[in-house]
Amino acid sequence: MRNQVHMPRRKLIAANWKMNKTISEAVSFVERLKSSPAPQPGCDLLIFPPFIAIPAVARLLGDTGVAVGAQDIFWENEGAFTGEISGPMIRDAGAEYALIGHSERRHVFGENDETVARKLMATFASGLRPILCVGETLEEREAGEAESTVEKQLRSALSALSRENVKRLVIAYEPVWAIGTGRTATPDDAEQMHAFIRRFVRGVFGDPIAGELIIQYGGSVKPDNAASLLEMEEIDGALVGGASLDADSFLAIAGAIPRQ
Ligand code: PEP
């Protein structure tokens, strides 16, 4: 059966700064970004600064069209949860997105499929758009379990979502072994996993939702490997860590998107 025809998907290039940049460093980055030529039509930019830099970054970006997100979220709105930041607080600070289930949250801070699912619901409830990160470890890939691992993560995260939720969802495929290591998935391996993710979503929610879903690749994306990944049919953008800390390098990745 032929898949339903859908509008061409936009490319979303996101910068995950992790625990990097003071507020003044974040401001310098945004000033550099604003003084540079805008990316090509069909490409959206998004920045995930540390929580405390969100208000300054969002204010400076103003109506440039570059979006801001939080690197994490807590599932309750308020209360006795020392150190946590809620969805309403993130919205109020000027962000539109939240990153959910990044592999560093899962592997360094012990998050699991259950906490990821709760955070995903909190993101929707507060009107933010989530980027849900999924991906296998090296051991899982070598054991031939890459797809089953990602399927388990997706099944758990998506089980409670409505069709309206999924229309606002972005998924980032980030093989754990490629994050911050300088090793990236080959374009063909990444394409295969992205197609698998889209098939899974199509199986649950059908088209046009699956056809319109943005699926980013993340894992050591750099200006010199971005074009080969971003030209793939199923790869709708990149979630960039290390190479997003420098505005020129981040823009060079966006600039590597093949022109339509
Ligand atoms: C990330 O932090 O999501 C990431 C992909 O990092 P890096 O680009 O440094 O591998």
Side-chain angles (χ1 to χ4, degrees):
M1 195 172 67
R2 283 173 63 82
N3 294 332
Q4 193 171 323
V5 175
H6 55 79
M7 294 283 287
R9 293 182 295 271
R10 297 176 66 80
K11 301 272 189 199
L12 177 61
I13 309 295
N16 174 20
W17 288 351
K18 314 190 190 211
M19 195 177 71
N20 292 293
K21 293 195 190 295
T22 60
I23 295 172
S24 56
E25 288 166 344
V27 165
S28 303
F29 178 107
V30 176
E31 279 165 354
R32 175 79 191 160
L33 194 72
K34 285 174 70 172
S35 67
S36 307
Q40 56 172 291
C43 169
D44 296 313
L45 300 181
L46 163 62
I47 299 174
F48 289 100
F51 282 124
I52 59 166
I54 291 175
V57 169
R59 203 175 313 115
L60 258 181
L61 285 172
D63 59 4
T64 56
V66 180
V68 182
Q71 296 174 18
D72 189 23
I73 187 174
F74 190 60
W75 54 77
E76 297 289 348
N77 283 349
E78 59 186 5
F81 304 103
T82 303
E84 294 295 336
I85 305 284
S86 72
M89 292 171 181
I90 292 167
R91 272 294 291 267
D92 186 53
E96 291 170 57
Y97 283 79
L99 204 52
I100 308 294
H102 188 277
S103 86
E104 286 148 21
R105 299 300 316 172
R106 293 181 193 253
H107 297 284
V108 182
F109 299 99
E111 292 195 12
N112 54 35
D113 285 346
E114 190 196 327
T115 56
V116 166
R118 294 179 82 172
K119 290 184 172 194
L120 202 50
M121 291 315 292
T123 307
F124 287 120
S126 45
L128 294 158
R129 282 191 77 170
I131 296 189
L132 168 69
C133 302
V134 296
E136 79 288 353
T137 62
L138 188 57
E139 296 72 50
E140 288 161 340
R141 175 154 286 265
E142 286 175 344
E145 294 166 1
E147 288 188 354
S148 59
T149 301
V150 168
E151 179 173 345
K152 182 171 162 288
Q153 293 168 345
L154 290 172
R155 200 172 288 289
S156 160
L158 303 192
S159 64
L161 301 191
S162 67
R163 298 174 64 77
E164 291 312 306
N165 290 154
V166 182
K167 285 183 191 164
R168 291 177 53 75
L169 178 70
V170 174
I171 294 179
Y173 168 55
E174 297 209 306
V176 178
W177 47 270
I179 298 178
T181 59
R183 263 185 88 177
T184 115
T186 65
D188 286 340
D189 283 348
E191 175 79 350
Q192 200 177 324
M193 184 62 89
H194 283 229
F196 173 78
I197 292 170
R198 200 176 304 285
R199 272 201 308 280
F200 177 88
V201 174
R202 183 171 289 121
V204 181
F205 295 97
D207 271 318
I209 290 180
E212 290 171 1
L213 176 71
I214 291 179
I215 308 176
Q216 297 177 302
Y217 169 79
S220 296
V221 177
K222 310 263 182 262
D224 61 1
N225 62 22
S228 62
L229 290 156
L230 293 169
E231 73 183 8
M232 303 305 283
E233 171 80 23
E234 293 287 346
I235 299 184
D236 308 316
L239 180 53
V240 188
S244 75
L245 292 173
D246 176 80
D248 293 335
S249 148
F250 179 55
L251 285 169
I253 290 171
I257 298 170
R259 294 194 176 263
Q260 301 286 318

